[in-house]
Amino acid sequence: MVDPTPKNVKSVKNRLDTINQNEGSSNKKTSGINPVQSHFLVSSEKLDKVTRRVIAPYAQIERKGLKEDEAKEGTYLDISRFNIFLEDTVDLDSLLYETAMVLKTITNSSGVFVYTVDNLRKEILLMTQNTKNPERHEVNIPIEEGKVAAAHVAATKQYLLLEDVQRDRRFAEGLKWVDAKVALCMPVVKPDGDCYAVLELYRTYSEPYDNNVICTAVSISCWAGAAVHQAQARVTLQRTTHLNMELRALLQKYFCDLASIDTMLTDMLAIIKSFIGAMRSSFFIIDREQIDGQLLADMWDDGWASEMSSLPRKKAKINLTLEESPAGLVARTGVPINVRDAYKDPRFAKEIDPTSGMVVRASLVSPIIDKNGVIGVVQLMNKNDGRPFDADDETVFEVFVNYCSLIVHFYQMQQKKLYHENLNKVFSELMGLHLKPCQHDMAELMETCSVVIPPPNFRSFDFYIGEDNKEDMPGLVCLMYTETFAHTNFDRHRLADFVLTVLSCYRDNPYHNAEHAFNFTHTMYVILKNNCGFFSFIETAGLMLAGLCHDLDHPGFNNNFLKLCKHPLSQMYKSSQLENHHYFLAKKIIEDKRLMSRLAAGERARLLREVRAAILCTDLAAYFAARAQLARLVTDRAFRWQEPDHRALLKGILMTTSDLSGCCKPFGIAKAITESIYEEFYNQGDRERIMGYTPLSMMDRKRRINQPAEQIQFLSVVVLPCLMLLSNIFPNTSPLIDNCRKTQEGWHEEIEMRGMKLWRQEESLPASRSRALLNSNSKSGEIS
């Protein structure tokens, strides 16, 4: 549908020139500057004191008063990604063997034996020349003093000189492998004090090693120990860096795709098992909601490598309170452990896996801890080479555990998300039960929906629903809907169900109640009926639906108060908290009642967007910016009906006009509406005073005597500029301006009857601007 160009609108320039500014305006008429610009294009910094006070209840402002100390958000260290590319891992055994061969040559030795030290098993192992064969035979000798020379040196970490091997009574077995005359045993000690290897030099002839040779051997051994230490540190760094890169890449995919916990654990445990060479892994997530002090946990176990299973199997909750296992001990104490042989450790039960018959020997277990204690445990069991886990494995494992804390927190967030999603479904069903209108009201509305007879002045801006005909509101709403947009594509029964439900969702507030929603909708109805063809079907339906729903479930307080009391709505939305809440409920009711079931999917989506945009426009904090933009277009005669942005600004002004239309009723009605508004304001002010804040002037019950003057200010600053702007586009809305001026006069009379001072705009201006204003009025021959 193509919107027709409005042919009944007079020239913008002529229309602007005929507008007379109300009391307090300068009435200065110059070419290019029109009175409609008053309060439109003025920045918030330049607004006078009275204007700022009038709009304060509707603006987002910083309040002074007692404030709770808010925790400052911590700073996070921004560490750039490391781009360190290390060389391939060196073969330390081969390097050590080559060093021994060099030392043999420069010391004129007949041969050399190389022993590596196993500190976990307290043994030294004879290294063969074929160092690259992993299946080579290893000869183990216990580390102890006084039996075998190499084992003695490994225990004492001091070099040993045997000047006569065969007659030395300390070592009856000699060199054990060869008939030597002289021997020199050198420990290869790392800077951290660990003995990494023993080099056993020997001569088959009787020439002893002199001091120069010994000094040379000691020096080379020391350098070898330092080199080994650096090489091991570099290898560990290389492994941890690689592990960091792998885990970061995986976590990025997990969190972006919201992967399941099973998927995350499968990949994460596969990586750490590959890095460390473990045969089995287990993962425990502690249940924070403990029962009777019991330490319960969800457990994932991937089984032994021989079982050909890569997916961790989640078991039922297990009780770690008294379980005699490494995982149970770590969960209770929060201390990581490295168990060399759990089967021989008296702290743990001697169990054999019933499925595979495997015995848990080596076990590396670490807790996952946050500020509240242990939240999980991760465990690796049995290395593929049959050796216990060493210090390097612990370092790599620690890196992995740090990432595991992210996994646990992610899992807990998913559980909370699932819980609250289901809780919302329960509440939604409960809410749906209470949103069903009374069957009798529904039956009565269905009988009269199409034949209701409106009051005589129903299509006039002067009409207002009274106490004696409030029961007619549902029928009159259905009538307005039918005459504007619902005559096609809307089911009568669903429309009636929707109207009754919406009206019942308004709270019993003094002002923001169903009566206000009806008055809003009626004003919008009269404007649209008198200006048919300017808006499309979707736009018209959006404005009318938004009108009835624009204050759904209004609590009787403004957005600023929600922020002061830290209401949940203020945490859910960054701005326009109430307006977003009104739209949320409107959308739910529209969808639950299937109001748009006859519309195509695309039309339904467009209609909901229209409703949302219209409801958000009722936030007066956003109104002033929209008014300034539209005023500039009107002043420059640049408004174009074909421009969606221009139409959106106009629809926003329509929403604000309808929202403020209570001020445009006959004075008796307008005064009653104003008193209900102030009652809500005073209720909020009372609460703010209890909270330790100083209420705004319009919300301070102690200043209620200022109501008439404040209303004159409000009508001048907020309402009249909005009405005058709208009348430039829709001239037939001028009765609203007339009524608003009459309301202003009514408040003037109230002031005079009370013997109060009459407010004038120039009194709120600085002295220099006040004199300029008086001079301008004198020249034009007009007296305020």
Side-chain angles (χ1 to χ4, degrees):
M1 175 179 179
V2 179
D3 294 331
T5 302
K7 298 180 180 179
N8 60 335
V9 180
K10 297 180 180 179
S11 168
V12 174
K13 184 178 188 326
N14 295 336
R15 185 64 184 168
L16 293 177
D17 291 340
T18 60
I19 294 177
N20 294 320
Q21 188 73 313
N22 60 302
E23 287 82 1
S25 67
S26 65
N27 290 314
K28 184 176 182 180
K29 301 176 182 178
T30 57
S31 59
I33 300 179
N34 297 287
V36 74
Q37 290 178 288
S38 175
H39 303 297
F40 286 175
L41 308 179
V42 182
S43 63
S44 59
E45 300 82 16
K46 297 181 180 179
L47 290 177
D48 57 74
K49 184 185 299 184
V50 171
T51 301
R52 289 197 297 270
R53 186 172 63 196
V54 169
I55 69 175
Y58 314 100
Q60 297 179 2
I61 57 176
E62 185 71 21
R63 299 296 302 278
K64 297 179 180 180
L66 301 179
K67 294 186 177 181
E68 299 178 1
D69 293 335
E70 298 181 359
K72 294 183 178 179
E73 184 177 353
T75 57
Y76 297 88
L77 187 61
D78 182 15
I79 302 179
S80 302
R81 295 179 60 184
F82 289 102
N83 292 318
I84 300 177
F85 300 92
L86 301 176
E87 299 176 356
D88 293 337
T89 303
V90 297
D91 187 347
L92 290 179
D93 288 350
S94 299
L95 204 60
L96 183 64
Y97 194 83
E98 292 175 4
T99 302
M101 292 298 104
V102 172
L103 193 57
K104 168 197 166 187
T105 302
I106 63 176
T107 58
N108 295 321
S109 299
S110 302
V112 61
F113 294 110
V114 182
Y115 298 90
T116 57
V117 178
D118 188 341
N119 289 315
L120 296 177
R121 295 180 178 178
K122 300 298 181 183
E123 296 175 340
I124 59 174
L125 293 80
L126 178 63
M127 182 188 300
T128 62
Q129 185 174 0
N130 187 9
T131 58
K132 295 184 180 180
N133 181 10
E135 304 297 332
R136 66 181 185 272
H137 178 67
E138 293 180 343
V139 178
N140 303 351
I141 303 174
I143 296 177
E144 55 185 342
E145 299 181 24
K147 289 191 176 181
V148 178
H152 178 86
V153 170
T156 62
K157 301 178 185 177
Q158 300 290 332
Y159 78 89
L160 179 65
L161 176 62
L162 301 179
E163 296 181 350
D164 192 341
V165 175
Q166 297 176 356
R167 294 182 181 182
D168 196 320
R169 296 182 178 180
R170 293 175 299 173
F171 311 104
E173 299 183 14
L175 295 190
K176 199 175 181 63
W177 316 113
V178 69
D179 187 12
K181 302 294 183 180
V182 181
L184 177 61
C185 293
M186 303 298 303
V188 178
V189 181
K190 299 189 295 182
D192 58 9
D194 287 342
C195 184
Y196 178 77
V198 176
L199 305 180
E200 191 176 60
L201 302 165
Y202 66 88
R203 290 175 176 173
T204 55
Y205 53 94
S206 300
E207 182 182 348
Y209 293 100
D210 57 25
N211 289 336
N212 291 334
V213 172
I214 294 175
C215 183
T216 301
V218 169
S219 299
I220 293 177
S221 298
C222 289
W223 279 108
V228 167
H229 178 76
Q230 292 297 325
Q232 287 181 330
R234 184 171 64 82
V235 170
T236 302
L237 176 61
Q238 184 182 23
R239 293 174 67 193
T240 55
T241 302
H242 187 191
L243 179 62
N244 267 308
M245 294 173 59
E246 293 286 344
L247 295 179
R248 282 204 308 266
L250 282 177
L251 288 180
Q252 184 178 9
K253 295 179 181 179
Y254 297 152
F255 296 154
C256 291
D257 298 336
L258 297 180
S260 67
I261 187 68
D262 292 336
T263 301
M264 288 190 285
L265 291 181
T266 299
D267 295 340
M268 296 281 285
L269 293 176
I271 288 178
I272 192 60
K273 286 170 65 178
S274 173
F275 269 72
I276 294 183
M279 299 177 64
R280 184 177 180 179
S281 60
S282 299
F283 201 96
F284 304 83
I285 297 182
I286 306 298
D287 189 351
R288 286 291 179 83
E289 298 181 1
Q290 302 175 8
I291 303 175
D292 299 330
Q294 301 296 306
L295 195 61
L296 304 178
D298 292 323
M299 175 183 175
W300 283 263
D301 191 293
D302 64 350
W304 296 102
S306 59
E307 298 178 29
M308 303 299 291
S309 173
S310 60
L311 182 65
R313 301 185 298 272
K314 181 179 179 181
K315 300 182 179 180
K317 285 188 180 295
I318 63 172
N319 192 339
L320 297 175
T321 308
L322 301 174
E323 183 171 321
E324 297 180 358
S325 67
L329 178 62
V330 171
R332 294 190 296 271
T333 63
V335 179
I337 58 175
N338 184 353
V339 183
R340 296 174 181 173
D341 194 337
Y343 193 75
K344 295 180 180 179
D345 196 314
R347 296 175 296 176
F348 311 120
K350 299 173 176 58
E351 296 180 355
I352 298 177
D353 188 89
T355 307
S356 61
M358 299 290 289
V359 177
V360 178
R361 296 288 186 186
S363 184
L364 188 59
V365 193
S366 180
I368 304 170
I369 301 176
D370 67 0
K371 62 181 180 180
N372 296 319
V374 179
I375 59 176
V377 175
V378 60
Q379 178 180 19
L380 299 179
M381 291 162 280
N382 290 15
K383 293 190 69 173
N384 293 325
D385 58 7
R387 298 167 62 85
F389 296 98
D390 56 24
D392 290 340
D393 295 332
E394 293 178 8
T395 302
V396 175
F397 192 55
E398 184 179 357
V399 173
F400 174 76
V401 171
N402 291 334
Y403 282 93
C404 288
S405 62
L406 298 177
I407 296 293
V408 175
H409 282 295
F410 182 76
Y411 172 71
Q412 291 175 341
M413 289 173 57
Q414 281 188 319
Q415 295 299 105
K416 289 181 180 180
K417 176 176 176 289
L418 182 62
Y419 170 79
H420 287 290
E421 284 179 350
N422 291 320
L423 185 63
N424 286 336
K425 291 180 181 179
V426 173
F427 286 155
S428 181
E429 292 179 1
L430 181 62
M431 181 179 175
L433 292 175
H434 291 279
L435 288 181
K436 290 183 178 180
C438 174
Q439 294 181 357
H440 300 288
D441 293 340
M442 188 69 182
E444 182 180 355
L445 184 58
M446 288 301 296
E447 291 177 2
T448 60
C449 182
S450 300
V451 294
V452 63
I453 301 177
N457 65 337
F458 182 69
R459 293 175 176 83
S460 165
F461 288 116
D462 291 343
F463 175 78
Y464 191 81
I465 198 77
E467 291 290 338
D468 54 344
N469 57 355
K470 282 187 177 180
E471 66 276 2
D472 296 333
M473 282 197 303
L476 292 175
V477 171
C478 289
L479 173 65
M480 291 187 289
Y481 277 8
T482 301
E483 291 189 358
T484 51
F485 71 92
H487 53 283
T488 57
N489 295 328
F490 284 88
D491 179 77
R492 276 187 56 206
H493 185 276
R494 289 174 179 163
L495 184 65
D497 190 6
F498 168 78
V499 171
L500 287 171
T501 300
V502 170
L503 292 176
S504 67
C505 286
Y506 277 88
R507 302 190 189 186
D508 190 20
N509 295 320
Y511 174 71
H512 289 99
N513 48 35
E515 180 182 331
H516 167 65
F518 178 88
N519 180 54
F520 185 115
T521 308
H522 175 263
T523 302
M524 182 68 72
Y525 158 76
V526 175
I527 295 174
L528 294 178
K529 281 286 291 182
N530 292 338
N531 298 278
C532 296
F534 286 92
F535 296 105
S536 67
F537 162 72
I538 293 295
E539 289 175 316
T540 302
L543 289 170
M544 292 297 291
L545 292 174
L548 191 65
C549 301
H550 81 283
D551 273 334
L552 269 173
D553 192 43
H554 197 292
F557 307 105
N558 62 16
N559 286 324
N560 283 324
F561 182 79
L562 297 184
K563 294 180 181 178
L564 289 180
C565 65
K566 295 181 173 58
H567 191 277
L569 287 176
S570 68
Q571 311 299 320
M572 294 170 59
Y573 306 106
K574 294 182 179 179
S575 62
S576 303
Q577 290 81 11
L578 284 173
E579 290 72 25
N580 277 289
H581 178 58
H582 303 327
Y583 169 70
F584 168 77
L585 292 178
K587 180 174 181 289
K588 175 174 176 53
I589 296 175
I590 290 174
E591 292 176 343
D592 286 355
K593 303 302 180 181
R594 300 185 62 196
L595 182 65
M596 302 184 297
S597 59
R598 292 183 179 179
L599 299 179
E603 291 181 318
R604 290 198 296 268
R606 285 169 48 210
L607 182 53
L608 284 178
R609 287 196 297 269
E610 288 286 336
V611 172
R612 181 178 186 275
I615 291 179
L616 291 181
C617 285
T618 59
D619 184 358
L620 283 183
Y623 150 71
F624 294 103
R627 188 180 75 180
Q629 295 180 54
L630 184 60
R632 186 177 289 108
L633 294 174
V634 172
T635 303
D636 298 340
R637 288 177 285 184
F639 182 84
R640 299 291 181 268
W641 283 93
Q642 297 78 11
E643 293 292 335
D645 292 342
H646 297 186
R647 299 170 70 90
L649 292 172
L650 175 59
K651 285 181 285 187
I653 296 299
L654 278 176
M655 292 295 293
T656 303
T657 300
S658 301
D659 204 9
L660 303 176
S661 60
C663 303
C664 306
K665 302 297 179 184
F667 180 68
I669 298 175
K671 182 179 179 182
I673 293 175
T674 300
E675 290 175 350
S676 65
I677 294 174
Y678 272 98
E679 186 57 34
E680 279 192 18
F681 279 176
Y682 294 153
N683 290 339
Q684 176 174 322
D686 294 342
R687 293 204 180 192
E688 290 181 356
R689 196 181 300 278
I690 294 174
M691 294 168 61
Y693 293 90
T694 301
L696 298 173
S697 177
M698 293 181 69
M699 296 184 173
D700 193 344
R701 194 180 297 273
K702 299 177 181 179
R703 301 183 182 182
R704 64 187 312 157
I705 195 174
N706 296 329
Q707 279 187 19
E710 288 172 348
Q711 279 305 294
I712 294 175
Q713 298 167 19
F714 180 75
L715 294 174
S716 299
V717 173
V718 179
V719 183
L720 274 172
C722 178
L723 300 178
M724 289 188 290
L725 178 59
L726 180 63
S727 67
N728 277 269
I729 300 176
F730 292 141
N732 51 27
T733 61
S734 58
L736 291 172
I737 299 178
D738 298 336
N739 285 349
C740 186
R741 293 186 184 280
K742 292 177 181 178
T743 300
Q744 263 191 328
E745 291 298 326
W747 287 117
H748 278 295
E749 294 176 3
E750 285 281 325
I751 292 176
E752 293 173 358
M753 286 188 296
R754 298 183 185 185
M756 298 172 59
K757 183 180 179 181
L758 182 64
W759 172 84
R760 300 183 185 278
Q761 183 177 2
E762 64 270 14
E763 295 177 357
S764 68
L765 301 176
S768 59
R769 293 184 59 191
S770 179
R771 286 194 297 270
L773 182 62
L774 290 175
N775 294 335
S776 175
N777 290 339
S778 299
K779 292 178 181 179
S780 61
E782 296 177 3
I783 301 177
S784 300

